Amino acid sequence: MAMESPLLLDAITAWSSTHLSLQDKSYETAAIAHRSTALNSLMTSLGSSNRDPEMELASCLIHCSLESISGDTEQWFRHHVGAYEMIRSMAATGATADLDLRRFSTTFEGRWLLRSFAYHDIMMAVAEGRKPLLVSGEYWADMGNVGADTYFGLASRIMFLISEISILDVDMANPAAAEEGLDGSFSASAFRIEQALISWTCGLSDNEQLVNLAEMYRSAALIYIYRTLRQHRPEYTHVVVKKIERQVVDIVQRVQSMPARCLAESSLLFPMFMAGGEAEDPGHVQVIRHRMLDIINERHFHNMEVVLKVLEEVWHLRATGVSSPGGRKIDWKDVLARRRWMLSIT
């Protein structure tokens, strides 16, 4: 793709030079120049009469990733929205607001781009407490069996359930829901999602690390649904607290068993973040902290450094007895609200 598209080549060069500059400051000037070139290429393409929407979408996603690994807490989201608008313009049916995503199924590149967007969109929804921008069922899994995904490995179904939790979280927070008598429906939906996560079985694979990663995503998703219940239905707190603890233990144990520098390690941020936000045991905190620091030092992904800063603040405030307004324990959402950060957990 990059050899055929100067637009994509510019974006990849910008990403690569930026990542290199995070390891060696002497490359910072070159990285800035390449980023400027890539942004100009994208702007020129968007204004051209001979556009290539797939390459523009790929460029948007690369810019989103570039800002993310740089430790940005705002610009990555703007590129993500740009990618969504690109998909919407490509898939618009004209007559209705519905999107026809089948055009992405005709090429390997199209299918990969849609899965890449889905991963970032769902993770954005978790961190931001909002619905995914693209709500269209399990659309990335309707493109045929592709085996392990670049981002979420064998956890495709888990990703769909996480997106459902995000939607439920927003709907439960709607004050009008109680007036409409939807409380029982929400509780039933939460139970259904919980049971779907518990009963899910990982696809067959001889790659132990991919299986471990998928199981960690399942545990992180369970933490997410229990957090949602705890937030919107406080009467369930005593029930979900033990369930959360079990999932934290599972993630920590699997993190410890996953070899350093393995490929699956690059997708550990989401489960470690969810477990870290709930970890109470100092030993569990130390495992998560140590693994994050090791990945930061080895891979130079600065969004993980930002995530660790958020968790460190949570751990410190809890240890010193600081509570949130209303007397509840400090949560990572409180830290993000105070800092006004948009957290990239991809």
Side-chain angles (χ1 to χ4, degrees), residues 139-247:
Y139 59 88
W140 61 91
D142 294 334
M143 304 294 174
N145 183 14
V146 295
D149 181 77
T150 309
Y151 293 105
F152 46 79
L154 304 171
S156 178
R157 182 62 180 173
I158 300 299
M159 293 300 294
F160 170 67
L161 293 171
I162 293 171
S163 71
E164 283 208 314
I165 299 170
S166 297
I167 295 169
L168 181 65
D169 182 31
V170 174
D171 288 343
M172 290 179 77
N174 184 357
E179 298 177 7
E180 296 172 6
L182 296 176
D183 286 7
S185 174
F186 288 149
S187 298
S189 295
F191 178 75
R192 173 184 58 79
I193 294 172
E194 179 195 20
Q195 292 307 306
L197 286 166
I198 292 172
S199 63
W200 174 82
T201 55
C202 184
L204 295 176
S205 174
D206 57 1
N207 189 315
E208 182 181 352
Q209 309 318 323
L210 284 179
V211 173
N212 256 341
L213 181 66
E215 292 292 349
M216 279 190 273
Y217 268 64
R218 185 229 300 267
S219 291
L222 283 166
I223 291 174
Y224 188 24
I225 190 64
Y226 297 145
R227 280 175 53 89
T228 300
L229 281 170
R230 184 180 64 195
Q231 178 181 354
H232 301 297
R233 299 293 182 270
E235 63 271 22
Y236 292 145
T237 298
H238 69 287
V239 176
V240 302
V241 64
K242 291 297 183 183
K243 293 184 176 183
I244 289 175
E245 288 176 5
R246 286 196 291 270
Q247 302 311 317

Side-chain angles (χ1 to χ4, degrees), residues 31-294:
I32 292 171
H34 285 302
R35 289 169 74 169
S36 176
T37 298
L39 287 170
N40 282 330
S41 292
L42 179 57
M43 182 176 65
T44 300
S45 180
L46 291 171
S48 171
S49 58
N50 186 28
R51 294 177 57 185
D52 188 338
E54 270 198 5
M55 293 303 100
E56 291 170 356
L57 173 57
S59 179
C60 280
L61 290 170
I62 291 171
H63 281 289
C64 179
S65 175
L66 182 157
E67 297 292 352
S68 174
I69 66 166
S70 300
D72 172 78
T73 58
E74 182 179 358
Q75 295 300 326
W76 68 267
F77 179 72
R78 297 184 181 184
H79 288 297
H80 179 71
V81 173
Y84 165 70
E85 292 296 341
M86 202 72 62
I87 292 173
R88 198 166 65 88
S89 67
M90 294 167 67
T93 58
T96 68
D98 295 334
L99 300 180
D100 183 1
L101 300 173
R102 288 176 298 178
R103 66 163 294 169
F104 291 94
S105 66
T106 59
T107 65
F108 172 84
E109 292 83 0
R111 294 190 294 271
W112 187 89
L113 288 170
L114 204 60
R115 293 198 308 275
S116 176
F117 176 82
Y119 174 71
H120 289 88
D121 199 33
I122 294 167
M123 293 294 98
M124 176 279 298
V126 174
E128 287 300 303
R130 59 181 295 168
K131 295 181 181 182
L133 296 180
L134 183 52
V135 179
S136 188
E138 201 171 353
Y139 59 88
W140 61 91
D142 294 334
M143 304 294 174
N145 183 14
V146 295
D149 181 77
T150 309
Y151 293 105
F152 46 79
L154 304 171
S156 178
R157 182 62 180 173
I158 300 299
M159 293 300 294
F160 170 67
L161 293 171
I162 293 171
S163 71
E164 283 208 314
I165 299 170
S166 297
I167 295 169
L168 181 65
D169 182 31
V170 174
D171 288 343
M172 290 179 77
N174 184 357
E179 298 177 7
E180 296 172 6
L182 296 176
D183 286 7
S185 174
F186 288 149
S187 298
S189 295
F191 178 75
R192 173 184 58 79
I193 294 172
E194 179 195 20
Q195 292 307 306
L197 286 166
I198 292 172
S199 63
W200 174 82
T201 55
C202 184
L204 295 176
S205 174
D206 57 1
N207 189 315
E208 182 181 352
Q209 309 318 323
L210 284 179
V211 173
N212 256 341
L213 181 66
E215 292 292 349
M216 279 190 273
Y217 268 64
R218 185 229 300 267
S219 291
L222 283 166
I223 291 174
Y224 188 24
I225 190 64
Y226 297 145
R227 280 175 53 89
T228 300
L229 281 170
R230 184 180 64 195
Q231 178 181 354
H232 301 297
R233 299 293 182 270
E235 63 271 22
Y236 292 145
T237 298
H238 69 287
V239 176
V240 302
V241 64
K242 291 297 183 183
K243 293 184 176 183
I244 289 175
E245 288 176 5
R246 286 196 291 270
Q247 302 311 317
V248 170
V249 170
D250 183 75
I251 290 173
V252 168
Q253 290 177 343
R254 291 182 184 278
V255 166
Q256 288 178 300
S257 69
M258 183 171 284
R261 318 292 183 266
C262 70
L263 289 176
E265 181 187 62
S266 61
S267 293
L268 279 181
L269 181 53
F270 168 60
M272 287 199 296
F273 173 61
M274 296 303 288
E278 300 297 330
E280 301 285 352
D281 186 298
H284 296 161
V285 168
Q286 186 58 25
V287 168
I288 294 168
R289 176 189 289 122
H290 181 269
R291 192 55 175 265
M292 282 190 171
L293 286 171
D294 185 63

